[in-house]
Amino acid sequence: MASTIKKIGVFTSGGDSPGMNAAIRSVVRTCAYMKVDCVGIFRGYQGMIEGDFKPMDARSVNNIINKGGTILKSARCDDFRTPEGRKIAYEQLKAEGIDALVVIGGDGSFTGAMIFNREYGFPMIGIPGTIDNDIFGTSFTLGFDTALNTVVDCIDKIRDTASSHNRLFFVEVMGRDVGHIALNAGVGAGAEEILIPEEDRGLDRLLESLKRSKQSGKSSSIVIVAEGDKTGKNVFELKEYVEEHLPIYDVRVSVLGHMQRGGAPSCYDRVLASRMGVKAVEALLEGRTNLMVGVRDNKLILTPIDKAIKGTSKMDKELIRVSEIMTT
Ligand code: F6P
């Protein structure tokens, strides 16, 4: 049976991540391939409320697969949290003839689309785009792989100067409440210690480990600190704490910040984004809704959006063990 969906709106919402442009390109080109109209919605839910729309065809997304950020822009929108805001958004979408939505973002963006679907029956499919990799129902979110490569590159550089001066560096990485970036980049960059919110082993253990490290003849040390870690101290307080208890160390701090969100997406993120965009449009045209596209064991899967929102992404226990063995 032919699909009733004739025009799909695509938008990015929440924190941007590398690979979002590749996903937009994929959605737009899949629509063109399937002979369905596609409209870009600018600035996420804010642009939906303001009717900030632009029809997009296959040529509108030339030369963006390699670009970081999002050409559709992103915004955090308070108005969409209100029934009045959502009503205006619905009227704008209807006036534009948009039948269904592909939302590229994190769990906050999916929650908005789910509520909107409940109120107005608007079909939606989510594509997980965030560097944090904190979404249930997928082993990889778009941008995570690129962010890891960025972080590892930065830590390699920090190590050069750290070892030249026999220094200890605390490097803070993003990840909001989860430690996926810290753990993976920490293992990849050979960090001496990795502090993640999921495994608080206390400050005594950190001191012990740093003491052992010095005694064993290491010339420099890198400690990765996830921004959401649970030691109760931020990186600057950790520096003071270590300087007070282990004066033998010359300590510096580096907060990597938003550079982790920028830059050209890795090949992995571009391919994943391309696959997810096709899957999202196909699912909508098959009459499916309220699902998130994910990847597991390199196969694309669809997870009910409420489960993706409520579930928690699990830490890789095996990788935690590997990190412990590697810091010996
Ligand atoms: O969710 C992505 C992320 O970069 C987190 O890692 C970080 O905690 C947060 O967004 C920063 O948000 P903002 O860009 O609004 O400061």
Side-chain angles (χ1 to χ4, degrees), residues 15-16 76 130-132 134 174-176 181 227 258 261:
D16 61 297
R76 305 195 198 273
T130 162
I131 62 165
D132 300 337
D134 59 347
M174 280 186 165
R176 210 177 284 273
I181 294 180
E227 64 174 333
H258 285 78
R261 287 228 304 249

Side-chain angles (χ1 to χ4, degrees), residues 12 15-27 64-71 104-105 127-131 141-147 260-277:
T12 49
D16 61 297
S17 68
M20 280 185 161
N21 280 327
I24 294 165
R25 172 181 180 268
S26 175
V27 169
I64 66 164
I65 191 167
N66 55 337
K67 299 267 189 311
T70 159
I71 59 160
I104 306 167
I127 293 179
T130 162
I131 62 165
T141 54
L142 294 182
F144 177 54
D145 182 66
T146 306
Q260 296 164 91
R261 287 228 304 249
S266 65
C267 180
Y268 182 84
D269 276 329
R270 297 180 197 195
V271 172
L272 184 62
S274 304
R275 294 173 72 198
M276 286 180 164

Side-chain angles (χ1 to χ4, degrees), residues 318-328:
E318 190 235 2
L319 194 56
I320 292 179
R321 184 160 174 274
V322 169
S323 78
E324 284 167 2
I325 294 172
M326 289 304 110
T327 56
T328 308

Side-chain angles (χ1 to χ4, degrees), residues 153-173:
D153 185 47
C154 291
I155 298 171
D156 286 350
K157 288 175 172 135
I158 290 171
R159 190 180 286 286
D160 288 345
T161 171
S163 67
S164 301
H165 290 268
N166 285 355
R167 279 177 173 159
L168 161 65
F169 268 81
F170 283 102
V171 181
E172 186 191 279
V173 300

Side-chain angles (χ1 to χ4, degrees), residues 96-228:
E96 184 70 22
I98 296 171
D99 301 308
L101 296 170
V102 175
V103 46
I104 306 167
D107 52 3
S109 313
F110 296 160
T111 303
M114 190 180 74
I115 294 170
F116 196 56
N117 175 274
R118 210 181 287 144
E119 289 174 351
Y120 294 101
F122 225 90
M124 65 77 60
I125 298 280
I127 293 179
T130 162
I131 62 165
D132 300 337
N133 208 36
D134 59 347
I135 298 186
F136 177 82
T138 189
S139 307
F140 287 90
T141 54
L142 294 182
F144 177 54
D145 182 66
T146 306
L148 289 182
N149 287 312
T150 303
V151 172
V152 165
D153 185 47
C154 291
I155 298 171
D156 286 350
K157 288 175 172 135
I158 290 171
R159 190 180 286 286
D160 288 345
T161 171
S163 67
S164 301
H165 290 268
N166 285 355
R167 279 177 173 159
L168 161 65
F169 268 81
F170 283 102
V171 181
E172 186 191 279
V173 300
M174 280 186 165
R176 210 177 284 273
D177 312 320
V178 296
H180 295 293
I181 294 180
L183 179 62
N184 284 269
V187 170
E192 275 62 42
E193 277 294 320
I194 305 168
L195 307 183
I196 54 174
E198 293 83 355
E199 298 266 316
D200 180 24
R201 302 204 196 89
L203 293 169
D204 290 346
R205 195 200 111 110
L206 174 66
L207 291 183
E208 271 315 306
S209 157
L210 291 174
K211 229 186 265 171
R212 267 202 319 274
S213 187
K214 223 11 160 202
Q215 282 158 1
S216 74
K218 283 193 182 174
S219 62
S220 64
S221 294
I222 307 278
V223 177
I224 309 290
V225 185
E227 64 174 333

